[in-house]
Amino acid sequence: MTVVEEPIGTALGEPAPALEARDIVKRFDGVHALEGAAFSVLPGEIHALLGENGAGKSTLIKILTGIYAPDGGTLLRDGEEVEFANVRVANHAGVVALYQELSVIPSISVAENILLGEQTPSRGGLVQWRRLRKTARAQLDSINQRIPLGMLAGDLTPVQQTMVAFARALATDARVLILDEPTASLTDTEITDLFAVLRSLRDRGVAIVYVSHRLEEVFELCDRLTIMRNGRTIVTKDVRDSHIDEVISTMVGRSAGELYPERGTATTTVALTARGIDGRRVKDVSFEVHEGEVLGIGGLAGSGRSELLRILAGAQRRSGGEISIGGVSLRLSPGVGRALDAGIALVPEERRSQGVILGASIQDNITVANISEVSTAGMVSTSRISVITQRGMKDLQIKARSARQHVSELSGGNQQKVVLAKMLARKPKVLLMDEPTRGIDVGTKAEIYRLIRRLAAAGTAVITVSSELPELIGMSDRILIMHEGRISGEVPAEGADEEVLLAYCYGKAETHDNHE
């Protein structure tokens, strides 16, 4: 049932929405992607657009920005009905989308990126460089950024690239900014800087549509929220009148407490032992993980948690210590191939750059890590490829048109499932997962949690790194916290106290004793 607690549109005397969608319908091959969806964003408002993957958010954004034409419904800009024939028309109307994969051109300067195309000042076919730099600096100054104008965009940090994209949008006089997962690759400090800029833009009357799976950010930053499910608008309301558990249950149709499966699959049989592991950041780390156990590893950025997983997976050389699996020691630098053969598989944090080949099909991605499984004497079997691919897609419920669909066309959650399918086809004894739910929606997170528990119940030892303390507590049996390359604390996950875990993150181990 659709319940819009705040009406789409405004009362008499109030300003018209900067952008509004009414009763939007969109079909693909006869299937409804949107069915009567409604959304509006006001001038000087940050409005969160929420929903699981497949809820219709991306389709709605593409209609708002002229990529798709709606099959039904109406778009209004400042209260006037409009039709966006393409992205260029939408941009001219002041509606600009900035996506997670930013479109800065790495090989040209910051100033040139800000004033691309029609915005480039020229006379007689010649670029007016002085005017270009002056205008670009003014755009950066307007959002309090001091990025060097002559610097190549490819040399910027992720947050600097985001700021350049903002400046470029403002140079086109954008009055509606649509942001898709803008903090996905940013540190906590960079996110703070980004939020300051977004608040300043809001104060200048810019309407901001904020799409994110990080609900804590929504409640810190946004004014209103709209939740979509199955192509419909379910609710629109003030953020201050809601809370995270309510948002989750509305998005997925079940309570937040049902996200995490029950524990209790750990055995006493040791699957992997690490003794005195040293690396570039990691120092003298020792621990064991058991068959059927989910071991969570937390810590602040730079604590060494991801480096530890890379060392265990053979992706990074260790300078000291011993790793053994099933009682058999691995050589000092086994490499990823030998670690895989020994039964250790890694699902990396950066799935798009390290976990999948975006331009290849689902089938090719799953096959590439399992050549020995699908070939004999150098001859590849197409039937075996089909079997291993279909099994992976079925077991992980990968949503795609076919096994030949390119991974770049899938949602973030389904891309993550392809990485998992590729690794699980190796039947690992120890599965390492670095931020397994980063950038995916709540419903897909629940699927990943259930998968982790199924693997553990089958005897696999699972080691997961997560930045989110509630997630660590919910999905783990036991938690290790790292600080400055060392293990600063270890606690059972059931009943774990977030305050204690956070104290360990900052190296304050004595806090644990005060809670005994």
mmCIF file of all heavy atoms in Angstrom, residues 393-438:
data_model
loop_
_atom_site.group_PDB
_atom_site.id
_atom_site.type_symbol
_atom_site.label_atom_id
_atom_site.label_comp_id
_atom_site.label_asym_id
_atom_site.label_seq_id
_atom_site.Cartn_x
_atom_site.Cartn_y
_atom_site.Cartn_z
ATOM 1 N N MET A 393 24.734 -18.434 -10.397
ATOM 2 C CA MET A 393 23.655 -17.460 -10.515
ATOM 3 C C MET A 393 22.429 -17.877 -9.711
ATOM 4 O O MET A 393 21.750 -17.039 -9.103
ATOM 5 C CB MET A 393 23.282 -17.268 -11.990
ATOM 6 C CG MET A 393 24.369 -16.584 -12.809
ATOM 7 S SD MET A 393 23.884 -16.297 -14.539
ATOM 8 C CE MET A 393 22.618 -15.021 -14.333
ATOM 9 N N LYS A 394 22.164 -19.188 -9.691
ATOM 10 C CA LYS A 394 21.012 -19.681 -8.935
ATOM 11 C C LYS A 394 21.253 -19.602 -7.426
ATOM 12 O O LYS A 394 20.411 -19.102 -6.682
ATOM 13 C CB LYS A 394 20.706 -21.127 -9.339
ATOM 14 C CG LYS A 394 19.522 -21.734 -8.592
ATOM 15 C CD LYS A 394 19.283 -23.177 -9.010
ATOM 16 C CE LYS A 394 18.130 -23.787 -8.209
ATOM 17 N NZ LYS A 394 17.909 -25.215 -8.583
ATOM 18 N N ASP A 395 22.427 -20.067 -6.984
ATOM 19 C CA ASP A 395 22.726 -20.101 -5.553
ATOM 20 C C ASP A 395 22.748 -18.706 -4.947
ATOM 21 O O ASP A 395 22.337 -18.502 -3.799
ATOM 22 C CB ASP A 395 24.064 -20.794 -5.293
ATOM 23 C CG ASP A 395 24.009 -22.291 -5.554
ATOM 24 O OD1 ASP A 395 22.887 -22.822 -5.725
ATOM 25 O OD2 ASP A 395 25.074 -22.938 -5.607
ATOM 26 N N LEU A 396 23.241 -17.724 -5.715
ATOM 27 C CA LEU A 396 23.347 -16.365 -5.185
ATOM 28 C C LEU A 396 22.224 -15.456 -5.648
ATOM 29 O O LEU A 396 22.213 -14.268 -5.330
ATOM 30 C CB LEU A 396 24.706 -15.752 -5.552
ATOM 31 C CG LEU A 396 25.833 -16.218 -4.631
ATOM 32 C CD1 LEU A 396 26.480 -17.479 -5.174
ATOM 33 C CD2 LEU A 396 26.858 -15.152 -4.427
ATOM 34 N N GLN A 397 21.282 -16.004 -6.419
ATOM 35 C CA GLN A 397 20.120 -15.242 -6.887
ATOM 36 C C GLN A 397 20.557 -13.956 -7.593
ATOM 37 O O GLN A 397 20.078 -12.860 -7.298
ATOM 38 C CB GLN A 397 19.183 -14.929 -5.714
ATOM 39 C CG GLN A 397 18.635 -16.182 -5.046
ATOM 40 C CD GLN A 397 17.736 -15.867 -3.858
ATOM 41 O OE1 GLN A 397 17.221 -14.779 -3.722
ATOM 42 N NE2 GLN A 397 17.567 -16.843 -2.984
ATOM 43 N N ILE A 398 21.485 -14.118 -8.547
ATOM 44 C CA ILE A 398 21.960 -12.978 -9.323
ATOM 45 C C ILE A 398 20.872 -12.569 -10.312
ATOM 46 O O ILE A 398 20.411 -13.377 -11.113
ATOM 47 C CB ILE A 398 23.262 -13.332 -10.067
ATOM 48 C CG1 ILE A 398 24.373 -13.652 -9.054
ATOM 49 C CG2 ILE A 398 23.690 -12.190 -10.993
ATOM 50 C CD1 ILE A 398 25.642 -14.195 -9.680
ATOM 51 N N LYS A 399 20.474 -11.313 -10.246
ATOM 52 C CA LYS A 399 19.409 -10.807 -11.118
ATOM 53 C C LYS A 399 20.031 -10.236 -12.388
ATOM 54 O O LYS A 399 20.712 -9.209 -12.353
ATOM 55 C CB LYS A 399 18.599 -9.739 -10.389
ATOM 56 C CG LYS A 399 17.866 -10.269 -9.164
ATOM 57 C CD LYS A 399 17.146 -9.170 -8.427
ATOM 58 C CE LYS A 399 16.466 -9.720 -7.161
ATOM 59 N NZ LYS A 399 15.811 -8.635 -6.376
ATOM 60 N N ALA A 400 19.811 -10.907 -13.501
ATOM 61 C CA ALA A 400 20.365 -10.487 -14.782
ATOM 62 C C ALA A 400 19.511 -11.058 -15.896
ATOM 63 O O ALA A 400 18.770 -12.020 -15.704
ATOM 64 C CB ALA A 400 21.808 -10.971 -14.920
ATOM 65 N N ARG A 401 19.639 -10.450 -17.108
ATOM 66 C CA ARG A 401 18.882 -10.945 -18.257
ATOM 67 C C ARG A 401 19.358 -12.333 -18.653
ATOM 68 O O ARG A 401 18.563 -13.195 -19.027
ATOM 69 C CB ARG A 401 19.044 -9.977 -19.435
ATOM 70 C CG ARG A 401 18.401 -8.625 -19.203
ATOM 71 C CD ARG A 401 18.356 -7.836 -20.509
ATOM 72 N NE ARG A 401 19.684 -7.620 -21.049
ATOM 73 C CZ ARG A 401 20.448 -6.573 -20.758
ATOM 74 N NH1 ARG A 401 20.008 -5.660 -19.906
ATOM 75 N NH2 ARG A 401 21.645 -6.433 -21.314
ATOM 76 N N SER A 402 20.690 -12.543 -18.598
ATOM 77 C CA SER A 402 21.265 -13.836 -18.933
ATOM 78 C C SER A 402 22.691 -13.883 -18.413
ATOM 79 O O SER A 402 23.233 -12.879 -17.945
ATOM 80 C CB SER A 402 21.273 -14.059 -20.458
ATOM 81 O OG SER A 402 22.298 -13.283 -21.063
ATOM 82 N N ALA A 403 23.316 -15.052 -18.526
ATOM 83 C CA ALA A 403 24.705 -15.211 -18.083
ATOM 84 C C ALA A 403 25.666 -14.418 -18.951
ATOM 85 O O ALA A 403 26.815 -14.183 -18.558
ATOM 86 C CB ALA A 403 25.090 -16.690 -18.104
ATOM 87 N N ARG A 404 25.201 -13.981 -20.110
ATOM 88 C CA ARG A 404 26.070 -13.226 -21.024
ATOM 89 C C ARG A 404 25.958 -11.710 -20.847
ATOM 90 O O ARG A 404 26.626 -10.955 -21.556
ATOM 91 C CB ARG A 404 25.760 -13.620 -22.478
ATOM 92 C CG ARG A 404 26.049 -15.093 -22.767
ATOM 93 C CD ARG A 404 25.944 -15.409 -24.241
ATOM 94 N NE ARG A 404 26.244 -16.807 -24.498
ATOM 95 C CZ ARG A 404 27.464 -17.314 -24.589
ATOM 96 N NH1 ARG A 404 28.516 -16.509 -24.440
ATOM 97 N NH2 ARG A 404 27.646 -18.600 -24.819
ATOM 98 N N GLN A 405 25.142 -11.275 -19.896
ATOM 99 C CA GLN A 405 25.041 -9.838 -19.650
ATOM 100 C C GLN A 405 26.338 -9.313 -19.039
ATOM 101 O O GLN A 405 26.934 -9.945 -18.168
ATOM 102 C CB GLN A 405 23.877 -9.529 -18.708
ATOM 103 C CG GLN A 405 23.640 -8.027 -18.506
ATOM 104 C CD GLN A 405 22.390 -7.751 -17.696
ATOM 105 O OE1 GLN A 405 21.647 -8.659 -17.335
ATOM 106 N NE2 GLN A 405 22.140 -6.479 -17.404
ATOM 107 N N HIS A 406 26.787 -8.146 -19.477
ATOM 108 C CA HIS A 406 28.007 -7.557 -18.955
ATOM 109 C C HIS A 406 27.820 -7.154 -17.493
ATOM 110 O O HIS A 406 26.775 -6.621 -17.111
ATOM 111 C CB HIS A 406 28.420 -6.337 -19.772
ATOM 112 C CG HIS A 406 29.106 -6.698 -21.058
ATOM 113 N ND1 HIS A 406 29.766 -5.784 -21.838
ATOM 114 C CD2 HIS A 406 29.254 -7.884 -21.693
ATOM 115 C CE1 HIS A 406 30.287 -6.380 -22.901
ATOM 116 N NE2 HIS A 406 29.976 -7.664 -22.832
ATOM 117 N N VAL A 407 28.848 -7.376 -16.697
ATOM 118 C CA VAL A 407 28.780 -7.068 -15.274
ATOM 119 C C VAL A 407 28.595 -5.570 -15.046
ATOM 120 O O VAL A 407 27.971 -5.154 -14.068
ATOM 121 C CB VAL A 407 30.053 -7.587 -14.563
ATOM 122 C CG1 VAL A 407 30.104 -7.140 -13.117
ATOM 123 C CG2 VAL A 407 30.093 -9.113 -14.624
ATOM 124 N N SER A 408 29.110 -4.736 -15.942
ATOM 125 C CA SER A 408 28.967 -3.285 -15.801
ATOM 126 C C SER A 408 27.510 -2.847 -15.799
ATOM 127 O O SER A 408 27.178 -1.767 -15.295
ATOM 128 C CB SER A 408 29.710 -2.569 -16.935
ATOM 129 O OG SER A 408 29.178 -2.937 -18.195
ATOM 130 N N GLU A 409 26.613 -3.673 -16.342
ATOM 131 C CA GLU A 409 25.200 -3.324 -16.436
ATOM 132 C C GLU A 409 24.410 -3.742 -15.198
ATOM 133 O O GLU A 409 23.232 -3.424 -15.087
ATOM 134 C CB GLU A 409 24.585 -3.983 -17.669
ATOM 135 C CG GLU A 409 25.227 -3.554 -18.986
ATOM 136 C CD GLU A 409 24.712 -4.352 -20.173
ATOM 137 O OE1 GLU A 409 23.875 -5.268 -19.954
ATOM 138 O OE2 GLU A 409 25.133 -4.074 -21.304
ATOM 139 N N LEU A 410 25.063 -4.448 -14.264
ATOM 140 C CA LEU A 410 24.371 -4.942 -13.076
ATOM 141 C C LEU A 410 24.404 -3.915 -11.957
ATOM 142 O O LEU A 410 25.241 -3.015 -11.928
ATOM 143 C CB LEU A 410 25.035 -6.240 -12.583
ATOM 144 C CG LEU A 410 25.136 -7.403 -13.562
ATOM 145 C CD1 LEU A 410 25.834 -8.573 -12.898
ATOM 146 C CD2 LEU A 410 23.756 -7.816 -14.065
ATOM 147 N N SER A 411 23.486 -4.067 -10.995
ATOM 148 C CA SER A 411 23.503 -3.228 -9.801
ATOM 149 C C SER A 411 24.714 -3.587 -8.951
ATOM 150 O O SER A 411 25.345 -4.641 -9.134
ATOM 151 C CB SER A 411 22.231 -3.465 -8.981
ATOM 152 O OG SER A 411 22.226 -4.790 -8.456
ATOM 153 N N GLY A 412 25.039 -2.703 -7.996
ATOM 154 C CA GLY A 412 26.175 -2.961 -7.119
ATOM 155 C C GLY A 412 26.049 -4.267 -6.356
ATOM 156 O O GLY A 412 27.013 -5.025 -6.210
ATOM 157 N N GLY A 413 24.834 -4.560 -5.877
ATOM 158 C CA GLY A 413 24.623 -5.796 -5.137
ATOM 159 C C GLY A 413 24.832 -7.024 -5.994
ATOM 160 O O GLY A 413 25.426 -8.019 -5.552
ATOM 161 N N ASN A 414 24.378 -6.974 -7.241
ATOM 162 C CA ASN A 414 24.554 -8.120 -8.127
ATOM 163 C C ASN A 414 25.998 -8.253 -8.602
ATOM 164 O O ASN A 414 26.473 -9.362 -8.837
ATOM 165 C CB ASN A 414 23.591 -8.012 -9.309
ATOM 166 C CG ASN A 414 22.180 -8.414 -8.926
ATOM 167 O OD1 ASN A 414 21.923 -9.551 -8.547
ATOM 168 N ND2 ASN A 414 21.258 -7.473 -9.001
ATOM 169 N N GLN A 415 26.716 -7.145 -8.732
ATOM 170 C CA GLN A 415 28.149 -7.231 -9.014
ATOM 171 C C GLN A 415 28.871 -7.952 -7.873
ATOM 172 O O GLN A 415 29.743 -8.790 -8.109
ATOM 173 C CB GLN A 415 28.735 -5.837 -9.214
ATOM 174 C CG GLN A 415 28.320 -5.166 -10.507
ATOM 175 C CD GLN A 415 28.892 -3.771 -10.639
ATOM 176 O OE1 GLN A 415 29.625 -3.294 -9.774
ATOM 177 N NE2 GLN A 415 28.555 -3.094 -11.725
ATOM 178 N N GLN A 416 28.495 -7.609 -6.650
ATOM 179 C CA GLN A 416 29.112 -8.271 -5.493
ATOM 180 C C GLN A 416 28.797 -9.766 -5.501
ATOM 181 O O GLN A 416 29.650 -10.593 -5.164
ATOM 182 C CB GLN A 416 28.606 -7.632 -4.198
ATOM 183 C CG GLN A 416 29.214 -8.189 -2.919
ATOM 184 C CD GLN A 416 30.645 -7.753 -2.700
ATOM 185 O OE1 GLN A 416 31.434 -7.699 -3.645
ATOM 186 N NE2 GLN A 416 30.993 -7.440 -1.477
ATOM 187 N N LYS A 417 27.589 -10.133 -5.912
ATOM 188 C CA LYS A 417 27.228 -11.548 -5.980
ATOM 189 C C LYS A 417 28.049 -12.283 -7.038
ATOM 190 O O LYS A 417 28.371 -13.464 -6.876
ATOM 191 C CB LYS A 417 25.736 -11.692 -6.266
ATOM 192 C CG LYS A 417 24.835 -11.282 -5.109
ATOM 193 C CD LYS A 417 23.371 -11.437 -5.495
ATOM 194 C CE LYS A 417 22.434 -11.018 -4.394
ATOM 195 N NZ LYS A 417 21.017 -11.189 -4.778
ATOM 196 N N VAL A 418 28.403 -11.587 -8.132
ATOM 197 C CA VAL A 418 29.247 -12.215 -9.159
ATOM 198 C C VAL A 418 30.636 -12.510 -8.585
ATOM 199 O O VAL A 418 31.196 -13.583 -8.825
ATOM 200 C CB VAL A 418 29.355 -11.309 -10.408
ATOM 201 C CG1 VAL A 418 30.389 -11.866 -11.387
ATOM 202 C CG2 VAL A 418 28.001 -11.194 -11.097
ATOM 203 N N VAL A 419 31.186 -11.562 -7.828
ATOM 204 C CA VAL A 419 32.487 -11.795 -7.174
ATOM 205 C C VAL A 419 32.395 -13.015 -6.258
ATOM 206 O O VAL A 419 33.267 -13.890 -6.254
ATOM 207 C CB VAL A 419 32.939 -10.566 -6.362
ATOM 208 C CG1 VAL A 419 34.318 -10.812 -5.756
ATOM 209 C CG2 VAL A 419 32.969 -9.320 -7.225
ATOM 210 N N LEU A 420 31.318 -13.083 -5.489
ATOM 211 C CA LEU A 420 31.122 -14.210 -4.575
ATOM 212 C C LEU A 420 30.977 -15.523 -5.338
ATOM 213 O O LEU A 420 31.567 -16.541 -4.958
ATOM 214 C CB LEU A 420 29.886 -13.970 -3.704
ATOM 215 C CG LEU A 420 30.085 -13.045 -2.509
ATOM 216 C CD1 LEU A 420 28.746 -12.589 -1.960
ATOM 217 C CD2 LEU A 420 30.879 -13.758 -1.423
ATOM 218 N N ALA A 421 30.194 -15.500 -6.414
ATOM 219 C CA ALA A 421 29.987 -16.721 -7.200
ATOM 220 C C ALA A 421 31.313 -17.231 -7.744
ATOM 221 O O ALA A 421 31.576 -18.442 -7.758
ATOM 222 C CB ALA A 421 29.007 -16.450 -8.342
ATOM 223 N N LYS A 422 32.147 -16.317 -8.204
ATOM 224 C CA LYS A 422 33.459 -16.675 -8.748
ATOM 225 C C LYS A 422 34.324 -17.354 -7.695
ATOM 226 O O LYS A 422 34.964 -18.376 -7.952
ATOM 227 C CB LYS A 422 34.145 -15.400 -9.264
ATOM 228 C CG LYS A 422 35.513 -15.613 -9.848
ATOM 229 C CD LYS A 422 36.051 -14.320 -10.459
ATOM 230 C CE LYS A 422 36.379 -13.298 -9.393
ATOM 231 N NZ LYS A 422 37.047 -12.104 -9.972
ATOM 232 N N MET A 423 34.322 -16.787 -6.485
ATOM 233 C CA MET A 423 35.159 -17.333 -5.416
ATOM 234 C C MET A 423 34.567 -18.623 -4.824
ATOM 235 O O MET A 423 35.297 -19.567 -4.515
ATOM 236 C CB MET A 423 35.331 -16.293 -4.311
ATOM 237 C CG MET A 423 36.188 -15.097 -4.693
ATOM 238 S SD MET A 423 37.922 -15.535 -5.034
ATOM 239 C CE MET A 423 37.951 -15.526 -6.820
ATOM 240 N N LEU A 424 33.250 -18.669 -4.682
ATOM 241 C CA LEU A 424 32.619 -19.845 -4.071
ATOM 242 C C LEU A 424 32.722 -21.072 -4.970
ATOM 243 O O LEU A 424 32.686 -22.208 -4.482
ATOM 244 C CB LEU A 424 31.158 -19.551 -3.742
ATOM 245 C CG LEU A 424 30.925 -18.498 -2.657
ATOM 246 C CD1 LEU A 424 29.438 -18.310 -2.396
ATOM 247 C CD2 LEU A 424 31.647 -18.868 -1.370
ATOM 248 N N ALA A 425 32.857 -20.847 -6.284
ATOM 249 C CA ALA A 425 33.052 -21.986 -7.191
ATOM 250 C C ALA A 425 34.351 -22.712 -6.888
ATOM 251 O O ALA A 425 34.513 -23.880 -7.259
ATOM 252 C CB ALA A 425 33.036 -21.509 -8.639
ATOM 253 N N ARG A 426 35.282 -22.034 -6.198
ATOM 254 C CA ARG A 426 36.540 -22.667 -5.789
ATOM 255 C C ARG A 426 36.369 -23.548 -4.554
ATOM 256 O O ARG A 426 37.310 -24.210 -4.127
ATOM 257 C CB ARG A 426 37.589 -21.598 -5.486
ATOM 258 C CG ARG A 426 37.905 -20.652 -6.625
ATOM 259 C CD ARG A 426 38.746 -21.287 -7.679
ATOM 260 N NE ARG A 426 39.964 -21.878 -7.178
ATOM 261 C CZ ARG A 426 41.142 -21.821 -7.797
ATOM 262 N NH1 ARG A 426 41.250 -21.165 -8.942
ATOM 263 N NH2 ARG A 426 42.204 -22.417 -7.302
ATOM 264 N N LYS A 427 35.178 -23.509 -3.942
ATOM 265 C CA LYS A 427 34.889 -24.273 -2.705
ATOM 266 C C LYS A 427 35.956 -24.007 -1.645
ATOM 267 O O LYS A 427 36.642 -24.921 -1.160
ATOM 268 C CB LYS A 427 34.785 -25.768 -3.005
ATOM 269 C CG LYS A 427 33.672 -26.126 -3.975
ATOM 270 C CD LYS A 427 33.600 -27.620 -4.222
ATOM 271 C CE LYS A 427 32.432 -27.985 -5.111
ATOM 272 N NZ LYS A 427 32.483 -27.372 -6.456
ATOM 273 N N PRO A 428 36.126 -22.746 -1.231
ATOM 274 C CA PRO A 428 37.193 -22.410 -0.287
ATOM 275 C C PRO A 428 36.952 -22.963 1.114
ATOM 276 O O PRO A 428 35.805 -23.111 1.541
ATOM 277 C CB PRO A 428 37.173 -20.881 -0.273
ATOM 278 C CG PRO A 428 35.757 -20.529 -0.606
ATOM 279 C CD PRO A 428 35.312 -21.576 -1.591
ATOM 280 N N LYS A 429 38.045 -23.248 1.797
ATOM 281 C CA LYS A 429 37.963 -23.631 3.213
ATOM 282 C C LYS A 429 37.843 -22.388 4.089
ATOM 283 O O LYS A 429 37.220 -22.420 5.147
ATOM 284 C CB LYS A 429 39.206 -24.429 3.611
ATOM 285 C CG LYS A 429 39.395 -25.714 2.833
ATOM 286 C CD LYS A 429 40.732 -26.355 3.164
ATOM 287 C CE LYS A 429 40.984 -27.596 2.305
ATOM 288 N NZ LYS A 429 42.345 -28.160 2.548
ATOM 289 N N VAL A 430 38.491 -21.307 3.627
ATOM 290 C CA VAL A 430 38.453 -20.027 4.345
ATOM 291 C C VAL A 430 38.073 -18.941 3.347
ATOM 292 O O VAL A 430 38.752 -18.753 2.334
ATOM 293 C CB VAL A 430 39.807 -19.686 4.993
ATOM 294 C CG1 VAL A 430 39.737 -18.341 5.710
ATOM 295 C CG2 VAL A 430 40.241 -20.785 5.959
ATOM 296 N N LEU A 431 36.973 -18.232 3.596
ATOM 297 C CA LEU A 431 36.527 -17.145 2.728
ATOM 298 C C LEU A 431 36.796 -15.823 3.427
ATOM 299 O O LEU A 431 36.306 -15.577 4.536
ATOM 300 C CB LEU A 431 35.040 -17.287 2.420
ATOM 301 C CG LEU A 431 34.444 -16.200 1.512
ATOM 302 C CD1 LEU A 431 35.075 -16.257 0.118
ATOM 303 C CD2 LEU A 431 32.926 -16.347 1.422
ATOM 304 N N LEU A 432 37.577 -14.959 2.770
ATOM 305 C CA LEU A 432 37.892 -13.633 3.290
ATOM 306 C C LEU A 432 37.017 -12.613 2.566
ATOM 307 O O LEU A 432 36.979 -12.593 1.335
ATOM 308 C CB LEU A 432 39.362 -13.296 3.058
ATOM 309 C CG LEU A 432 40.391 -14.373 3.431
ATOM 310 C CD1 LEU A 432 41.787 -13.927 3.024
ATOM 311 C CD2 LEU A 432 40.336 -14.670 4.928
ATOM 312 N N MET A 433 36.317 -11.752 3.316
ATOM 313 C CA MET A 433 35.409 -10.772 2.702
ATOM 314 C C MET A 433 35.707 -9.391 3.277
ATOM 315 O O MET A 433 35.544 -9.161 4.478
ATOM 316 C CB MET A 433 33.955 -11.165 2.957
ATOM 317 C CG MET A 433 33.619 -12.577 2.510
ATOM 318 S SD MET A 433 31.883 -13.016 2.801
ATOM 319 C CE MET A 433 31.077 -12.084 1.511
ATOM 320 N N ASP A 434 36.158 -8.489 2.410
ATOM 321 C CA ASP A 434 36.504 -7.135 2.830
ATOM 322 C C ASP A 434 35.354 -6.196 2.479
ATOM 323 O O ASP A 434 35.080 -5.954 1.313
ATOM 324 C CB ASP A 434 37.799 -6.692 2.128
ATOM 325 C CG ASP A 434 38.434 -5.477 2.783
ATOM 326 O OD1 ASP A 434 37.799 -4.903 3.690
ATOM 327 O OD2 ASP A 434 39.562 -5.113 2.393
ATOM 328 N N GLU A 435 34.686 -5.672 3.500
ATOM 329 C CA GLU A 435 33.515 -4.796 3.330
ATOM 330 C C GLU A 435 32.507 -5.433 2.357
ATOM 331 O O GLU A 435 32.181 -4.876 1.309
ATOM 332 C CB GLU A 435 33.945 -3.420 2.811
ATOM 333 C CG GLU A 435 34.906 -2.674 3.709
ATOM 334 C CD GLU A 435 34.260 -2.108 4.973
ATOM 335 O OE1 GLU A 435 33.051 -2.355 5.183
ATOM 336 O OE2 GLU A 435 34.945 -1.433 5.751
ATOM 337 N N PRO A 436 31.974 -6.610 2.697
ATOM 338 C CA PRO A 436 31.134 -7.355 1.744
ATOM 339 C C PRO A 436 29.828 -6.668 1.382
ATOM 340 O O PRO A 436 29.230 -6.993 0.354
ATOM 341 C CB PRO A 436 30.862 -8.676 2.470
ATOM 342 C CG PRO A 436 31.022 -8.357 3.930
ATOM 343 C CD PRO A 436 32.108 -7.326 3.982
ATOM 344 N N THR A 437 29.351 -5.712 2.191
ATOM 345 C CA THR A 437 28.064 -5.078 1.893
ATOM 346 C C THR A 437 28.198 -3.602 1.555
ATOM 347 O O THR A 437 27.195 -2.884 1.496
ATOM 348 C CB THR A 437 27.092 -5.231 3.082
ATOM 349 O OG1 THR A 437 27.598 -4.496 4.203
ATOM 350 C CG2 THR A 437 26.911 -6.686 3.454
ATOM 351 N N ARG A 438 29.420 -3.121 1.305
ATOM 352 C CA ARG A 438 29.594 -1.698 1.000
ATOM 353 C C ARG A 438 28.890 -1.340 -0.306
ATOM 354 O O ARG A 438 29.055 -2.001 -1.322
ATOM 355 C CB ARG A 438 31.078 -1.346 0.905
ATOM 356 C CG ARG A 438 31.340 0.085 0.409
ATOM 357 C CD ARG A 438 32.764 0.521 0.656
ATOM 358 N NE ARG A 438 33.000 0.741 2.069
ATOM 359 C CZ ARG A 438 34.191 1.047 2.574
ATOM 360 N NH1 ARG A 438 35.246 1.148 1.779
ATOM 361 N NH2 ARG A 438 34.339 1.232 3.874
#
